[in-house]
Each structure stands twice: as C-alpha cells, then as structure tokens.
Amino acid sequence: MELINKLNYLKMMTMETRNEYISTKLKQTNYYALSKKEKGIVLKEIVNTTELNKDYLTSKIVKMQFESKSEKLRFKPHRNTKYDSEVVSALKDIWEIFNKPCGQILESLLKSDTLDITLKEGRNQYSQRVINLLKQISAKTIDNKLKDKKDKDKINSKYENSKSDTLLKHKIPIKISSEIDSTKAGNMSTDLVESCGESPFGPYISTFSSTDVYSGFWFGIAIPKAITEEIIKCLELRNIHIPFRINYDHTDNGAPFINNKVENWYEINNILHTRSRPNKKNDNCYVEQKNYTHIRKSIGNLRYCSLSELEIINEILIRCADLRNYFIPTLKLTSKLRDGAKVHKQYKDIKTPFNRIMTDTTIPSNVKEQMIEIRKNLNPIQLSKEIKELQIRLYKIYKARNNQKVVNNISSNSTNSLRFLTLRQRSFRLHD
C-alpha cells in the first residue's frame, strides 16, 4: 500500500515541484556549508524523495549553486555615476571643438569663461545641470571618460584612407610567399614603410620599398604622403631604375596599392599584380626583411614629416641601395628541417644581387655592361661614410624640429653613434 501511494505521489510530482523541493531542502540544511558526510545524508534523503539519479542530482545541485551566484551578481546594486551619458556626450563635443586637447588643458578650459562663450555661440544647448558638472570634472576623469573615444579615433585615423575596394580585391589574386617564382628575375615584392614614430595622426613620410625575389635587387624611395598618385610615380621610377623587365608585383592589402588607378597602371604596363592574405606579413616576407635591413637600420623608427627630412632620407636610400645591390652579399634559404620544436634552416648561394643578375641568362648583355660601369664608379667605403654623415644631418634636423637638444661629439666613424636612429620605439603598427 505504501509503495502504491509513493508511486502515485511521484506521478503527481512534476520536475518543477521537484526543483522547488530540492532548492528548499538545500536552503533549510545550508547544504553548501556542510561537511562531505553530512552532504551525503542530505543527498540520500533527496534521492529517496524525488527518485532522481544520484549523479544527475549532484550535477543539478552544482548548477543551482552557480545560478544562485550569478543571480546575486546580476542584481548587485551599482553606484550611481555622477557623470552620466549626457555629460560624457557633451564632454566629447567640447573636446572635438577645441581640437582634442589633453585632460589638463580641457579642465582649465571648462573652468574658465571660454566654456560660457562656446555654449553661447555654439549650436549645442545643454542643461544647467550638465554645464555645472562639466565645470566640476577633473583632468583624470576627463581622460577616463574620453579613453574609448580616443582609442577609436586612433584606429579610424590610421585606416581613414585604407578602405580599399572590396570588388577589386576579388579580382586581384591572393598568393603566399612560397608560390612566388624565385628562379628568375622580374618578380617583385613591394611594401610601404611608415615613418610615423609613436603617433599615427597627421602627415608623415612613407617609404616605397620593392625587391626582386630572385636576385634581391632593391629599390626604395621616400614619399611625403601614402596616396595613389605618389605610388604610381614610385612604380614608374622603379621601372626606370630596375635593370630588368618587371613581369610580376606582389603587394599587401593597403589602399595605396589596392585601388582602380594603380590596377589600371599594372594592366597598361602588362604587370601581373597579386596580393597577400589580410594580416599575414609572411606572405610578403621577401620585402619585409628588407624593410628592416635597408630602411629601419638606415633611417630608424622616428617620425619624419618635413621636406628637408624627405630630401635627406632619399639621399640615404640611394646610397643604401647602391651599397647593398652592388657590394653586400645576401643569403638564400634552400631548405628547412624540423627537429621537434627546432627548425634547422640551411642557406646557400651567398652572392650580391649584382652577381646574381650577371649570371642570369635572361637579362640582355647591354644591361649587364651598364651595371658593370655603374659598379666601377662606386666606392663602398665612400658610400658608407656618406650614409653616416647624412644620418647625423637627419638626426640634427629631427631634433631641431622638435626643439630638443642635439647630442654633441657625434663621430661619423662611430657605429654606436647612430644608435639614436635604430632604436626600436613603441609605435601603432595596426595594419599591413
């Protein structure tokens, strides 16, 4: 009779009533604070009452524990913020009106009569409560409230001219570094190196860098702005200075390279244009390594933006190209062997780009004769000396433009004296 009554009771007992019974029992016994033995007794009693599986019941109790904690956190009372969204919105508007100053300057502006004049003349009308709060806000709070806005502006300014045509991207094929033919001259790898220092705001000098995958022959020129017209000029100059016919060019996904004008130029000059995968610098590795050895080691990571700096940088790059193309040998990777976590790389074919071009049978003999004549008129010692002297001039112009003291007793013969140009600095490098 008792068994029948129990079965009838269980039939009437839905899962909802069982959950209510379990939660009530856990609260009454203070289950989570009990010892292991005491928990076992309570668990056995719940199993007998609800006829649930013990393992299932254990997982259910654990889940209830986390749900109760999350519920407490969800309904946790928050402190009322003094500067609400209305005040922050007004603060952002005023910050942009005054050309985005720092928190200390904006605090002094808000507490002076400049704010009253601005609100009187401006179109935006704010309540008296908002105005009073703006006059009370501190510099540190201003910086905290504007942090998200400043971060977004940095990214937007970096990419404001980097939105390339999506339809055009589908037409330009993607290739990785291993798919580029490195057995013959004429296949180029191209990139743009920015000399923006620590800030991406405003105009700054960029360097057009292009190298032949087979020979390692390099061409570089600095430009005042990374715009389409300047890129086309660089491509035309490269055709003049590179001693062989260019058949192929591989670039990144930046807007200066991925646009209709540049693509039309490639079609007119019968050059196949391919691009890297987004955010995959190794796809353009042949020129990326030159960006450090040929550009960063020559002009550093500082911010350059004046015409005088542009002229000196181009003088340095011309001499750097002559020195490295005609006199300094480069290695070519022949194989990679993985041994566990280690990768053993083997390099052979230690030649200068000049020597590789001389051994290439596809290049006409008259071009080789011209290159031999150019090499005869070059002196590597003189080139190196002139590069160091130009680096010191560049450093002095940079310091004078920034109203900083120039380091005295810089010797052009000292290799360590040029450390100010080659030191790595924290920079906002967010895209290819």
Side-chain angles (χ1 to χ4, degrees):
M1 191 68 181
E2 289 181 8
L3 183 61
I4 295 168
N5 291 335
K6 190 172 184 180
L7 288 169
N8 292 332
Y9 172 73
L10 289 171
K11 283 179 183 178
M12 293 171 61
M13 198 176 192
T14 61
M15 186 55 73
E16 188 178 351
T17 54
R18 287 175 183 175
N19 289 338
E20 288 179 5
Y21 170 75
I22 293 167
S23 60
T24 307
K25 193 70 176 175
L26 294 177
K27 287 178 183 177
Q28 287 177 353
T29 57
N30 196 11
Y31 177 82
Y32 300 111
L34 298 177
S35 64
K36 189 176 181 181
K37 189 175 180 180
E38 291 171 337
K39 282 181 179 178
I41 296 167
V42 175
L43 201 62
K44 190 176 180 181
E45 186 180 344
I46 296 172
V47 167
N48 292 332
T49 307
T50 59
E51 291 292 329
L52 293 174
N53 182 274
K54 188 177 179 181
D55 294 334
Y56 169 74
L57 186 61
T58 306
S59 63
K60 194 176 187 66
I61 290 171
V62 172
K63 190 177 179 181
M64 284 181 172
Q65 182 184 12
F66 284 110
E67 283 178 353
S68 62
K69 284 185 178 180
S70 62
E71 195 174 340
K72 285 180 183 177
L73 291 171
R74 196 183 306 149
F75 295 105
K76 185 178 179 180
H78 292 282
R79 188 178 66 177
N80 293 328
T81 54
K82 184 177 180 181
Y83 304 106
D84 54 14
S85 59
E86 190 179 355
V87 179
V88 174
S89 177
L91 184 67
K92 288 177 182 178
D93 293 341
I94 294 166
W95 178 65
E96 288 183 349
I97 288 168
F98 290 108
N99 199 17
K100 302 177 180 180
C102 66
Q104 290 177 324
I105 294 173
L106 190 58
E107 182 191 9
S108 62
L109 283 169
L110 292 172
K111 291 181 179 178
S112 66
D113 59 345
T114 309
L115 179 63
D116 298 325
I117 297 167
T118 306
L119 295 175
K120 187 178 179 181
E121 299 294 331
R123 296 178 183 177
N124 296 329
Q125 297 295 327
Y126 305 112
S127 63
Q128 191 60 42
R129 180 187 70 87
V130 172
I131 295 168
N132 293 336
L133 288 171
L134 286 173
K135 290 182 178 181
Q136 297 173 14
I137 196 167
S138 66
K140 190 172 182 180
T141 308
I142 289 171
D143 290 331
N144 289 335
K145 297 294 181 183
L146 295 176
K147 187 178 183 303
D148 294 338
K149 176 71 174 171
K150 287 179 180 179
D151 292 341
K152 286 180 182 177
D153 283 0
K154 280 181 183 177
I155 296 169
N156 291 337
S157 65
K158 187 74 175 178
Y159 290 105
E160 60 186 357
N161 296 319
S162 298
K163 293 181 180 178
S164 50
D165 192 352
T166 307
L167 292 174
L168 185 62
K169 278 188 175 182
H170 289 297
K171 295 179 182 178
I172 301 170
I174 291 176
K175 278 196 177 183
I176 61 175
S177 58
S178 60
E179 294 174 344
I180 301 172
D181 187 5
S182 60
T183 59
K184 58 182 180 181
N187 296 329
M188 306 297 290
S189 183
T190 306
D191 194 16
L192 206 61
V193 183
E194 299 166 344
S195 297
C196 59
E198 295 182 352
S199 173
F201 291 107
Y204 49 83
I205 291 168
S206 299
T207 304
F208 177 89
S209 175
S210 186
T211 186
D212 179 47
V213 175
Y214 164 70
S215 64
F217 199 91
W218 181 79
F219 170 79
I221 184 170
I223 54 176
K225 287 183 180 180
I227 56 176
T228 305
E229 290 74 15
E230 295 290 341
I231 295 296
I232 291 173
K233 288 179 186 177
C234 293
L235 292 170
E236 290 172 350
L237 283 170
R238 184 185 66 177
N239 278 0
I240 297 168
H241 288 87
I242 295 292
F244 41 79
R245 168 90 174 95
I246 298 173
N247 303 311
Y248 170 87
D249 200 7
H250 184 75
T251 66
D252 57 26
N253 290 275
F257 294 111
I258 310 295
N259 59 73
N260 289 312
K261 289 184 179 179
V262 173
E263 196 60 29
N264 290 336
W265 186 92
Y266 280 122
E267 289 177 5
I268 292 166
N269 289 270
N270 197 20
I271 296 173
L272 176 64
H273 181 210
T274 61
R275 62 188 178 93
S276 308
R277 292 171 294 176
N279 303 316
K280 298 285 184 181
K281 286 190 175 290
N282 282 346
D283 289 356
N284 214 8
C285 60
Y286 293 104
V287 72
E288 289 290 346
Q289 58 193 358
K290 299 287 191 292
N291 291 346
Y292 174 70
T293 57
H294 292 51
I295 299 173
R296 294 298 183 194
K297 286 184 77 172
S298 299
I299 65 172
N301 289 56
L302 302 176
R303 181 186 180 87
Y304 305 114
C305 56
S306 66
L307 290 175
S308 56
E309 289 169 332
L310 180 69
E311 291 173 2
I312 295 174
I313 288 170
N314 276 324
E315 291 291 331
I316 292 171
L317 295 177
I318 289 167
R319 287 159 178 78
C320 180
D322 289 339
L323 184 65
R324 291 187 174 274
N325 289 336
Y326 289 94
F327 298 104
I328 299 178
T330 58
L331 298 167
K332 292 196 80 173
L333 183 68
T334 55
S335 65
K336 288 196 294 184
L337 298 171
R338 179 173 289 280
D339 181 15
K342 291 184 179 179
V343 177
H344 300 281
K345 298 179 181 179
Q346 291 184 349
Y347 296 90
K348 289 183 182 178
D349 192 23
I350 306 173
K351 295 179 183 177
T352 62
F354 168 80
N355 289 334
R356 288 199 183 96
I357 291 170
M358 290 297 110
T359 56
D360 192 349
T361 56
T362 60
I363 295 174
S365 57
N366 62 334
V367 173
K368 293 180 181 179
E369 289 173 4
Q370 289 177 5
M371 291 185 70
I372 291 167
E373 285 298 318
I374 291 169
R375 193 174 187 273
K376 284 180 182 177
N377 296 324
L378 296 174
N379 184 345
I381 297 173
Q382 183 65 25
L383 287 171
S384 181
K385 185 180 178 182
E386 288 174 2
I387 288 170
K388 289 178 181 178
E389 288 173 353
L390 287 166
Q391 284 174 330
I392 292 167
R393 280 179 58 195
L394 179 64
Y395 167 69
K396 288 180 178 178
I397 290 171
Y398 171 80
K399 287 288 185 180
R401 183 170 57 81
N402 290 279
N403 298 321
Q404 297 177 6
K405 289 184 178 180
V406 179
V407 177
N408 296 323
N409 301 324
I410 299 174
S411 171
S412 60
N413 298 321
S414 172
T415 55
N416 291 329
S417 65
L418 302 176
R419 196 163 172 269
F420 50 79
L421 288 174
T422 56
L423 277 175
R424 286 191 172 275
Q425 298 184 3
R426 181 171 57 84
S427 59
F428 299 98
R429 300 195 59 76
L430 303 177
H431 77 298
D432 280 336

